[in-house]
Amino acid sequence: MKTSVNDGSRFEGDQGSSDPRDLAWYWAIGFLVFCVWILCSNLGGAALFEPDEGRNAEIAREVLLLKDWVTPHYDFIPRLDKPIFFFDLVALSYKLFGISEWSARLPSALAAVACLLITYRFAGWLFGRQAALWSALILLTSLEFFCLARVVIMDMTLTVFITLALCGFYLGQRGAESGKGRIEFLFMYIALGAATLTKGPVGFLLPSVVIIFYLLVTKRLILLRQMELPLGIPVAILTAAPWYLLAELRNPGYLHYFLWEENIARYATDQFNRSGPWYYFIGVLAAGFFPWTAFLPTTIAHLRKRSLEGERLFLILWIVLPLLFFSLSSSKLPHYILPVFPPLAIIVGATIAETLKHASAKASWLLSIPVLGFGLLSLVATLVLMRPDFISFEFQTYVNDVFPRTPISFVCANIGVVLIALVVIRKRLWRNQLCLYTGTALSFVLMVMLAEPIAAAVSVHRSSRSLAQKASLLIRPEDQLVLYHGYPSSLPFYLRIRRPIGVAWSGNKSAVLGSHYVAFRRPRPAAGYGDVLYSYEEFADLWKSSERRLVAILDSAAVDRFKLLVGMTPRTLLKIGDTFLLENRSAAGNAPAHDELQRFRLARRQKP
C-alpha cells in the first residue's frame, strides 16, 4: 500500500512514516473509537419514541420485574409476537447500567459497532484496507443504518448475525478450496441460529437464499459436501431451538401462531395493514443510503466493466435477493432491508477506493458530495434556527424548544464547513483520500450534533415521558390505572409500574396492546396478577363498583364516548395536550375527594 509523496490518494502519509501496516492499524483503531463515540454519545438524550421503542423497552423491563427470561411480557401479559433474545439483551443492559433510555438503546448501538467491525474486516479481506476504511465509513454515515443503531429495535442485532453468517460462508468456501474453512463454517451456523433466535425464520431464510443462489450461479453445489452440514445443522438448531421449545411448553400453541400468523400470513397477506407498492424498498434504499446514493450509478457502471464473479457476484446477490424477497412481501416496513446495507457499503467502498487509486478526475469529483451534503444540511438547519418564522408554526415550537437562541458556535462551524468544502472543490482536493475521509467524518459529526437536540425535542411529542412525569404526582400507589381508546406504549416504562394497567377494548380488533398475538390468543396475565383486558361492559361495571380509586387515561376524542360508557361525568384530574386523566368519581358533589387529592399532591411535592 505504499505510494509516493505526491500521491494524495492514500492514507499512509509521507516517506518518513513508519511501516504502512502499522499506520493502517492506527487508522482502524481510530475509526473504532470514533464509531463507539458517535454511536453511544447522548444515546439517552431523546425520549423513547412510540410505539416500537416504548414497547420494546418496557418488555425488557418486565423481564427483570417478573424474572422471566423465556416468555416476553407487555403489561404483564405474554406477548410472543417476537422471540425474547433481543429483550433479554436489553434486560441485561438494564441489569448492568440501570433502567434508562440510554441502557435500552445500548444493545442496538453495540450491535452497530459489531456490524461495522465485521464489515471492515470482510471488505479488507476482499479489497484491501483502503476499501475497508471507506466501506465502514459509508455504512456508519448511511442515514438508515445510523438511525436504527440508536433506537430500541431488534433489526440491528438481526443484521449483525446475518452479516456474520454470510461473511462466514464466503470465507469458509474460499478456505474449503485448500482444505480449510471449518471454523468459518462453524461461525456461520452459530450466526444462523442466533439470527433465527432474534427474529424468527427470516434469520436463516435470507442467508440461505443468498448462499444457495450463489452456489447455483457459480455451479458449485458440490461445495455442500464441504460445508460441515452434519455438524453445522445440529449446531444451528441447538442455538435456536431450546428457547422455541421452552416457549411452546409454557405457552401451548405458540409455535403454530408464530410460524403461521407472524411469518407466513405476514408475508403472504395484508392482514397486518403494512402493505406497499412493489417499488417501496427502492425508495427506502435511496433515502436510507443517503448521501452515498449518489455513488450508485458510478458503482453500477464500475461493475459493468468487470466480470461478475467471485466476491462481486456474492455481494450483488446479497443485495438484490433480500430486496426482491421483501418487495414480494405483503408486509413492508423500512427497517426490513437493513441487512443489505453492509454489502452495499462494501461494494461502494471498493469502487471509491479504486477510483482514488486511479485518480479518475471524471468520477472522483463525486467524492465531495458527502462533505457538501452533510455541511449544507447542517447549514440549512442552522439558518432555520436563526429564522424559524419561515417554517410552519408546529415546527417553530420544536425549534424554540431546542434552541431558544441559536448558538453562535453552530453558525461558525457551519460556515467553516462550507468554506472547507469550497476549498476542496477549488483546489481539487477530492483526490486526496485523507482530506476526503476526514472531511466526511467531521461534517457528519456536525450534522449529528445538530440533529440530536432536534430529535430530543421531537421525541417529547412522540413519547409518554411528559405525561408520566405529571401523572405520577396524581397517582397513588394503591390506585388502579386503566386505559380506554389507545395505549401510550412508553407509559408503563416511565411510570415504572409494578402491576398491570387495565385495558378496555372491544374484543373484535386484530391487535390489542400493539400485539396480534394477544388479540388472537388472549393469554392470561403473569401468575399472581389480576385481569388486564376488559370488555366495555366489564369495564363499565368495574368503573362503577370498584372500591379502589381508578384513574383512566384516554385522548380527548374519546371523552364523550367514555362518559356514555360509564354513565357518569368523571372528575378530570389532568389534561396534557389531547390526553385526559379521569377518576371514577362524579364531577358533581364530591368536594371532599377533591380536597383529599389536593392534600395528597401537596404531600408528594414536599417529599425530599
Side-chain angles (χ1 to χ4, degrees), residues 348-394:
V348 173
T351 301
I352 290 176
E354 189 162 344
T355 299
L356 287 168
K357 180 179 179 181
H358 296 294
S360 172
K362 186 175 181 180
S364 59
W365 66 270
L366 286 169
L367 298 174
S368 60
I369 287 179
V371 180
L372 286 172
F374 292 137
L376 289 175
L377 280 177
S378 301
L379 181 61
V380 169
T382 303
L383 293 175
V384 168
L385 294 175
M386 294 174 65
R387 295 297 303 274
D389 48 301
F390 287 107
I391 59 178
S392 67
F393 180 78
E394 179 184 0

Side-chain angles (χ1 to χ4, degrees), residues 175-224:
E177 297 173 355
S178 57
K180 301 178 181 179
R182 186 170 187 174
I183 294 177
E184 289 83 357
F185 283 135
L186 180 62
F187 274 112
M188 177 191 74
Y189 291 117
I190 294 174
L192 287 173
T196 305
L197 193 58
T198 301
K199 209 174 179 180
V202 71
F204 73 82
L205 186 60
L206 278 185
S208 299
V209 168
V210 174
I211 291 169
I212 291 172
F213 268 81
Y214 176 75
L215 295 177
L216 284 171
V217 173
T218 57
K219 300 178 181 180
R220 299 178 64 199
L221 283 174
I222 194 173
L223 187 65
L224 291 171

Side-chain angles (χ1 to χ4, degrees), residues 382-510:
T382 303
L383 293 175
V384 168
L385 294 175
M386 294 174 65
R387 295 297 303 274
D389 48 301
F390 287 107
I391 59 178
S392 67
F393 180 78
E394 179 184 0
F395 287 101
Q396 286 183 40
T397 303
Y398 292 148
V399 169
N400 292 330
D401 288 344
V402 179
F403 296 121
R405 290 186 301 174
T406 304
I408 191 65
S409 58
F410 275 108
V411 179
C412 295
N414 276 289
I415 293 174
V417 169
V418 173
L419 290 175
I420 291 171
L422 293 174
V423 171
V424 167
I425 295 172
R426 178 70 176 174
K427 300 293 185 180
R428 297 176 179 258
L429 293 178
W430 61 69
R431 299 183 186 182
N432 187 302
Q433 190 159 192
L434 176 61
C435 174
L436 283 170
Y437 200 89
T438 306
T440 301
L442 290 178
S443 60
F444 178 70
V445 168
L446 179 64
M447 189 188 73
V448 170
M449 289 174 61
L450 189 61
E452 282 178 348
I454 295 174
V458 172
S459 71
V460 172
H461 302 272
R462 292 287 307 277
S463 170
S464 300
R465 184 169 64 182
S466 296
L467 173 63
Q469 289 171 346
K470 295 180 180 179
S472 63
L473 298 174
L474 305 173
I475 300 171
R476 307 166 184 174
E478 66 272 16
D479 292 341
Q480 173 64 54
L481 293 179
V482 291
L483 291 164
Y484 174 78
H485 196 266
Y487 195 100
S489 67
S490 60
L491 186 63
F493 177 88
Y494 285 115
L495 286 176
R496 299 291 194 268
I497 61 168
R498 304 188 69 84
R499 64 168 179 259
I501 298 177
V503 179
W505 75 303
S506 64
N508 56 11
K509 292 184 178 179
S510 62

Side-chain angles (χ1 to χ4, degrees), residues 280-303:
Y280 176 87
F281 287 112
I282 297 176
V284 170
L285 187 65
F289 201 55
F290 174 88
W292 306 99
T293 314
F295 294 88
L296 294 181
T298 301
T299 301
I300 294 171
H302 179 81
L303 290 172

Side-chain angles (χ1 to χ4, degrees), residues 42-48 53-54 56-58 60-61 64 90-91 93-107 152 465 493-494 496:
N42 202 29
L43 196 58
L48 296 172
E53 275 205 298
N56 293 339
E58 172 60 16
R61 190 185 72 91
L64 296 182
V90 179
S93 179
Y94 289 161
K95 195 82 171 175
L96 295 174
F97 305 107
I99 298 174
S100 67
E101 295 96 337
W102 184 87
S103 55
R105 292 172 176 139
L106 183 62
V152 191
R465 184 169 64 182
F493 177 88
Y494 285 115
R496 299 291 194 268

